[in-house]
Structure formats: structure tokens, C-alpha cells
Amino acid sequence: MYKVWMKFSFIWQEKQNVPNSMKQFYHFIVKEFYHIFRDRKTLFILLGMPMVQIIIFGFALTNEVKNTKITIINQSEGASAARLVQKIESSRYFELYSQSTDAAQIDRLFKKGAVKIALVIPNDFDPSIVNQNKGQLQIIADATDPNVATALTNYLSVIVQDFQKELNSNNTIPYKMDVEARMMYNPQLKGAYNFVPGVMAMVLLLVCTMMTALTVVREKELGNMEILLASPINPIKIILAKAVPYLLLSIINITTILLLSYFVLDVPINGNLFLLYAESILFIMVSLGLGLLISAGTDSQQSAMFISLVAMFLPTVMFSGFIFPIENMPLPLRIISNFIPAKWFFIIVKSVMIKGVGLKLIWKETLILTCMMLFFFGMAIKKFKIRLA
Amino acid sequence: MHNKAIIVDKLSKQFGDFKAVDEISFEVAKGEIFGFLGANGAGKTTAMKMLCGLSMPTSGNAMVAGFDVYKDNESIKKNIGYMSQKFSLYEDLTVRENIKFYAGIYGIASAVIVEKTKQLLLQLNLEKEADLLVGQLPLGWKQKLAFSVAIFHEPQIVFLDEPTGGVDPITRREFWNLIYDAAAAGITIFVTTHYMDEAEYCNRVSIMVDGKVEALDTPANLKQQFNVQSMDEVFLHLARKAKRTE
């Protein structure tokens, strides 16, 4: 990559008719790339971070139900009950931990932490299905973690409903009401559909905002900024040149994330890929603008880092809707969330990538991000200029 | 007018109630080595920044390299070189890359850069180190290189803000040889320093106290005027009167 770059710079130099100001800009960008390439550790982190995050979120931090241990209290000795048990056992969501007839077992296993959910099949289950076309089951869940309990209960109910349908297919009943819940866009309720857009927002924000802020502030700390300002190069060009390498790095990062999520996590890209990239670049620009704004207001790398992390990163995680649903927040927090760029980007990526919608349905979010970008860049340039006077 | 590199007339800079620079006036001839002395907080750096186009004066006039500091900011920047007290090359770039970068932002053509870089490396005896990172060079070499980079684009005037801070006496001597060479080539040198032996090397020196220029003459004349043996004593004599401290 390095060699290709050198070759490119060589070709560029052959063109002597490039205007001077463009050449200055080019020299500046080359210098920024040197900084990035020489700092191998940071480069490694920048390019490796999205991979690590996708893998962590994809395989470790998941609230999907998979092979959850279940205990079944089967007091019925009938064939239907046995078939139900078999069905649950063979599903990939549950794994049979134990089976007994003693209901007191449930409490003991819950307290031990061995299982989180139990199914009670009463002794009249089989006769009642045959004679009254009606069967009763009881699901008992350990609700110390309410989200998990709800999810498990839902999964188990679906299996029971399935089972019911199988039974019905054999005989015809005059009245039948089928309720079929369809999980649109994500039929398997995969967590990846939610966190891939979230990881994209986080990685882009971290790389662009923090790294640009740091690189500008580093020039100030080293005292090189004065030298640059005393040179004929336009200050605006200085800060724009700082942003260009991170724009390119971020495009590489988006590509990594999309490739990993498509091929490894099976997340579809239902919408237009170009639109997805265009929107991502828009968000990158917002983050770069934010980074430049932070750098214009700070003089030490430490404070630049602190502001980027505390003022940018935490609200992004909390208010983008990626981890905590915004709809459930109280009004003041919902209002605050509107000022978080990642919230809008999160909506856009989910819409384009998962729902496959076009620009027509996300123009409002796009417009908001565009305004934010213009605002941040405008403020950064203004602040930069004030400091010169 | 034509043989003056810098003309300063009642130049002032005020920050709120504080007059950092208080109506200073002086002239610097072309090719002169002009020492700009003063204790910390006397206003040297502020004055220098105004002359370099980094900061707008509050009042007064100044012409640098024939350009007005208020109007021709950009032309001034093209015609001066600047080296600050903090070290100014990039440690993670090689010697050659640093030269190329600084020459590049001054808009020098690539072919010229390549040719002049060769000469410069030869002159500084740095040919073997050309592709080493600057961070690996000893401080004295870095300073000399930084100075050479500051005058690479052949400016009319070069501003040096305490260029020899933290450097050993032998290297300082070598550094001054470079300054003499540059002056002989017609570049006007405007230098601030805390080392009084360096003040002796200047053609003329000015001494700032509390935002005002209190003395301005050749080192020999100043010593005579205050009836002392060294520039050190001249400086102490004037600087003791200062009411401001940093």
C-alpha cells in the first residue's frame, strides 16, 4: 500500500501544471499519511477496531436465545406430551436440562441458576386434548432479568403454537383462528440487524472525531502550528488536509464492517449500496467536523481525548437508540437524543440496510445530518479564524 | 526605504487593559542581524507575531519586506521564514520528507526541491542521515536543520524565536555560523535570545522592557552608553527596571 502511494505521488509530481494551492494541499495530505503510516500501533487499532467490535457483538454480546437450558415438569404420560417435549428438545433454542414430575424442582433449579425457564405439562394434558380439544400448559420463567425472561417465554410460546398447528392439521375443526405474528425485516430476530448499524456509528465517530481532534491538537502542542500559520498555506486548508486521511480510513472501515456483517453474520444489505456509502460518508463528514470543532477549542491532546470520549462517545452509545430504545425514554431525554448525530445515522443505516428503503423515506434524517455537518464545519472554521486574530 | 527590511512605527498590541506592546518603533536594514532582546513577558513574542502576520496590531504601522502588516498579510508570509522556540520539524518524518513538506507548502516546484535538498544535505553534512527520522537526530542537528528549512524558500527575512534554547555552546556556535552565512547571502535575520553572548554576535540589538523598546544600538555602543563590560550587564541594568513579571 505504501509503495502504491509513493508511486502515486511520483505520478502526481510529473504534472507540473497543477495550481500551486492544490500542490500545497497535496503536500500536506502526504505529510498526514506519513504520520498515520509511521504510527503502526495506532493504525492497527484503527483498522482492527471495527473487526473486533463486530466479532464481540456478533458472538459474545448477544441477547438472542440459543441453546437455553430448560426444565420440563411432565406430569402427563400421554403421547401428545411426549411429542411436545421432543419438539422442544429438537429446537435449536432450547436444550433439555432435566425432566421430572415434581413441580418443586423448578424453584430449586431456578435458585441454583441451572435453568431460567420451565414448562409444566399437567397430568390431564393428554386426555383433555383428546376429549375437550383443549390443553393447558404453564410456562414459568426466572424474571430476575426481565428482558431475558420475556424473550424466552416468547420463544417457548412460539414452539407451543407450532405444536398446536401440527395437531390441528390432522383433524378439521369448524372454527379456527390463526394468529400469525410476522417479524418483518428480521424474521429470526437477529441481534446483528441492530448492532451492525450501531457499530458503524460508533467506529466512525471514534475514528473521525477523536483522531482528527488529536492530530490537530498535536500540531499545537508541538508548536508546529505557529510555523504553519506563519507560512503562506491557508489555515482552512490545514484543517481540511487533516481530515482527508481519516475520511479514507473510515471508508475502509465501513467496507470491513459491511463485508464482515454480510459474510460472517448474514446481515443482508437490502438497500442501495451506493446510498449506504453516501450516507456513511455524510456521517463521516459530520464526525470530522465535530473533531475539528473540538480541536479548535482545545490545546492539549488530553483534553481533546477527554472531550471526544465523554462528550461524544458516551451520548452516542446512550442516545443513538442502539442499546437503549429512544421510544421508552422520558421526554427530556428524547429531546436530547435529537442532537446526537449518531441517532439519525442509526435510523438511516437501519432503513437502508435492513428495510431496503430509498432516499425518499430518509430524506429528513439526511437533511438533519447535512445541516449538522455544515454547522460543525462552519463553527470549526470560524473558531479557528478567531484564534488567529 | 528600499534598504529597509522592517520598518516599525509606534506599533502597539493591547489585550483588554494590558498593553503587551506599547508603541515600539525601529527599523531593520536589509541583510542585518537584528537581536530582539527582553525578559520573559516584556512583549517580544507578541511583537514578533505581529511582524510575522500571526497577530493583528491594535495600532501603529509596520512594513515587513515592503508589505503592510494590516493589508498584505499573505505577501508577508510568502517572503519571510519563521522558526520558533519550540522545535519545529516533525519527528516522525525523515529529514528529506521534512524538507519536502516545508518546501511544498511554500509552493516551490518539485524539481527545484529535489535539487536544493541535495545541496542542503551536502552543506549540513547530513547526506547519510537523509532518510532517517528526524526524531533520531541529536538536538543540535535538528536545530540546524530547522533553520535551514526555515530559509529553504529564500525569504527576505527570517524570524528566529529563541532558536538555540537548550543547545550546547559548541552547537550554538555552529548555529550562529549558519546565521552569518544566511546574512551574507542577503537574508535579514531577526532573532530573539536569552543568551547574552549571542547578543554580542548581532549587528544591532534592541532591548524591550515592559512593552517598550528601552535601548537600541550596536552591542559596542550599548556597552559604552551604560559604561559596562558586557551585554549581560547592559541587559541586567535595563531589565531590573521592569515592573512586569511573567
Side-chain angles (χ1 to χ4, degrees), chain A residues 188-206:
Chain A
Q188 290 156 288
L189 295 177
K190 274 192 177 175
Y193 286 40
N194 192 47
F195 77 72
V196 167
V199 168
M200 276 175 82
M202 272 197 320
V203 168
L204 294 182
L205 197 83
L206 206 63

Side-chain angles (χ1 to χ4, degrees), chain B residues 56-57 61-63 67-76:
Chain B
M56 274 288 165
N61 285 307
M63 299 286 279
F67 300 103
D68 189 328
V69 288
Y70 291 101
K71 285 179 287 182
D72 300 320
N73 220 298
E74 292 311 308
S75 307
I76 289 177

Side-chain angles (χ1 to χ4, degrees), chain B residues 8-240:
Chain B
V8 178
D9 182 28
K10 291 184 180 161
L11 196 68
S12 297
K13 177 83 185 188
Q14 197 150 355
F15 297 105
D17 290 337
F18 177 69
K19 273 207 159 177
V21 175
D22 193 0
E23 298 201 348
I24 56 168
S25 303
F26 59 85
E27 288 178 356
V28 180
K30 276 186 185 163
E32 189 176 7
I33 301 175
F34 188 81
F36 197 58
L37 313 187
N40 286 336
K44 286 179 306 195
T45 305
T46 312
M48 196 156 170
K49 279 189 172 168
M50 285 191 281
L51 298 180
C52 293
L54 289 177
S55 164
M56 274 288 165
T58 317
S59 64
N61 285 307
M63 299 286 279
V64 176
F67 300 103
D68 189 328
V69 288
Y70 291 101
K71 285 179 287 182
D72 300 320
N73 220 298
E74 292 311 308
S75 307
I76 289 177
K77 286 180 177 178
K78 276 181 200 143
N79 286 286
I80 62 163
Y82 178 75
M83 177 184 166
S84 82
Q85 53 195 359
K86 282 192 192 168
F87 183 62
S88 52
L89 298 178
Y90 293 96
E91 305 246 316
D92 55 345
L93 264 60
T94 66
V95 172
R96 203 187 294 280
E97 285 159 0
N98 264 294
I99 298 173
K100 199 173 155 193
F101 168 67
Y102 280 107
I105 61 172
Y106 278 91
I108 301 175
S110 301
V112 180
I113 296 177
V114 172
E115 191 47 44
K116 279 197 73 180
T117 303
K118 244 185 239 166
Q119 287 172 20
L120 177 63
L121 292 173
L122 195 72
Q123 193 193 331
L124 290 176
N125 215 356
L126 276 174
E127 292 149 294
K128 275 195 226 110
E129 288 80 8
D131 294 311
L132 282 186
L133 298 184
V134 165
Q136 294 169 298
L137 299 180
L139 181 65
W141 292 20
K142 290 185 206 167
Q143 301 290 78
K144 283 191 273 181
L145 183 61
F147 176 74
S148 307
V149 167
I151 59 168
F152 194 86
H153 59 289
E154 295 170 10
Q156 292 188 41
I157 307 161
V158 62
F159 289 87
L160 307 171
D161 191 1
E162 289 171 31
T164 54
V167 174
D168 66 77
I170 299 168
T171 316
R172 255 168 54 202
R173 194 62 216 232
E174 288 171 7
F175 190 86
W176 273 88
N177 285 338
L178 286 179
I179 293 183
Y180 278 124
D181 290 346
I187 297 176
T188 307
I189 315 283
F190 187 97
V191 58
T192 74
T193 179
H194 280 305
Y195 298 105
M196 285 309 132
D197 56 327
E198 290 186 356
E200 309 260 7
Y201 302 151
C202 298
N203 298 133
R204 282 192 309 150
V205 295
S206 77
I207 299 176
M208 266 186 97
V209 178
D210 288 351
K212 290 186 165 72
V213 172
E214 287 292 326
L216 199 175
D217 213 327
T218 62
N221 286 349
L222 284 175
K223 281 184 278 189
Q224 204 179 18
Q225 187 188 334
F226 291 95
N227 199 19
V228 289
Q229 296 301 311
S230 68
M231 277 305 294
D232 218 16
E233 289 168 275
V234 174
F235 185 77
L236 285 176
H237 183 86
L238 287 166
R240 275 208 191 105

Side-chain angles (χ1 to χ4, degrees), chain A residues 2 6 9 13 16 20 23-24 26-28 30-32 34-36 38-39 219-235 242 387-389, chain B residues 13 45 49 52-56 74 77-78 80 82-84 86-90 92-94 97 100-111 113-114 133 161:
Chain A
Y2 195 61
M6 295 304 283
S9 73
Q13 275 166 23
Q16 290 293 339
N20 243 342
K23 262 201 231 165
Q24 282 180 331
Y26 158 77
H27 276 286
F28 217 106
V30 170
K31 188 208 81 167
E32 294 307 319
Y34 282 139
H35 288 320
I36 292 172
R38 296 277 151 83
D39 191 355
E219 298 266 0
K220 288 190 199 173
E221 263 187 7
L222 291 174
N224 288 354
M225 193 53 102
E226 267 184 15
I227 310 279
L228 297 177
L229 294 177
S231 81
I233 192 165
N234 185 335
K242 289 263 166 204
R387 288 176 69 90
L388 296 183
Chain B
K13 177 83 185 188
T45 305
K49 279 189 172 168
C52 293
L54 289 177
S55 164
M56 274 288 165
E74 292 311 308
K77 286 180 177 178
K78 276 181 200 143
I80 62 163
Y82 178 75
M83 177 184 166
S84 82
K86 282 192 192 168
F87 183 62
S88 52
L89 298 178
Y90 293 96
D92 55 345
L93 264 60
T94 66
E97 285 159 0
K100 199 173 155 193
F101 168 67
Y102 280 107
I105 61 172
Y106 278 91
I108 301 175
S110 301
I113 296 177
V114 172
L133 298 184
D161 191 1

Side-chain angles (χ1 to χ4, degrees), chain A residues 271-272 274-280 282 343-370:
Chain A
N272 187 321
F274 285 106
L275 180 63
L276 190 58
Y277 265 94
E279 295 283 358
S280 301
L282 176 63
K343 173 192 166 175
W344 305 107
F345 180 62
F346 187 63
I347 296 174
I348 291 173
V349 175
K350 270 174 94 171
S351 307
V352 176
M353 208 169 150
I354 313 294
K355 295 185 193 163
V357 306
L359 188 60
K360 246 188 220 165
L361 289 169
I362 49 166
W363 67 270
K364 207 174 76 188
E365 286 82 3
T366 309
L367 185 68
I368 291 171
L369 280 186
T370 311

